[in-house]
Amino acid sequence: QVQLVESGGGLVQAGESLRLSCAASKSSITTYVMAWYRRASGKERELLASISSGGRPNYADSVMGRFTISRDNAKNMVYLQMNSLKYEDTAVYYCSGRRVGTQQNYWGQGTQVTVSS
């Protein structure tokens, strides 16, 4: 099974950018649908963006036009470029992967993003 480790979180001011990375190991992500989620304090987990094994992205309305998901299968990496960050983007961000044709989701441990207003 794949193991996922997120990095790149931190404290930024509103309007700034961050790039999150998700490093996969133990399995190639070539046949995985990859996604980024977040969970803000007191709120439910929210799907932000996903990217198919073929590289087609989908975005939640809340991040459309500000966030970009990408993948580098050769490096076994997934990224989330976050621009024009808002205070309400403050949350723990999680990388997730699901092998195509299966229902099992694998998760990283999360990385904290804090946006000061």
Side-chain angles (χ1 to χ4, degrees):
Q1 66 187 46
V2 69
Q3 291 188 352
L4 304 172
V5 178
E6 303 93 338
S7 62
L11 172 64
V12 296
Q13 293 187 337
E16 294 184 340
S17 299
L18 273 178
R19 187 196 196 202
L20 304 183
S21 298
C22 174
S25 61
K26 300 289 183 73
S27 179
S28 169
I29 63 168
T30 303
T31 58
Y32 281 71
V33 177
M34 303 300 297
W36 285 95
Y37 290 76
R38 70 186 177 192
R39 188 191 295 273
S41 180
K43 296 186 178 181
E44 295 187 355
R45 185 176 60 200
E46 177 187 10
L47 171 62
L48 303 175
S50 64
I51 186 166
S52 70
S53 57
R56 184 178 69 250
N58 281 289
Y59 298 96
D61 289 343
S62 60
V63 303
M64 179 79 73
R66 297 190 300 125
F67 291 9
T68 302
I69 188 172
S70 61
R71 64 191 297 161
D72 186 336
N73 288 340
K75 295 182 178 179
N76 234 24
M77 297 287 294
V78 182
Y79 306 98
L80 186 68
Q81 177 66 42
M82 306 187 295
N83 298 329
S84 302
L85 283 163
K86 305 175 182 179
Y87 173 77
E88 50 264 41
D89 293 319
T90 296
V92 179
Y93 285 68
Y94 298 91
C95 176
S96 174
R98 176 180 57 81
R99 190 187 295 272
V100 173
T102 70
Q103 299 299 317
Q104 177 70 53
N105 277 301
Y106 298 94
W107 299 89
Q109 83 290 350
T111 185
Q112 176 71 47
V113 172
T114 302
V115 184
S116 62
S117 58

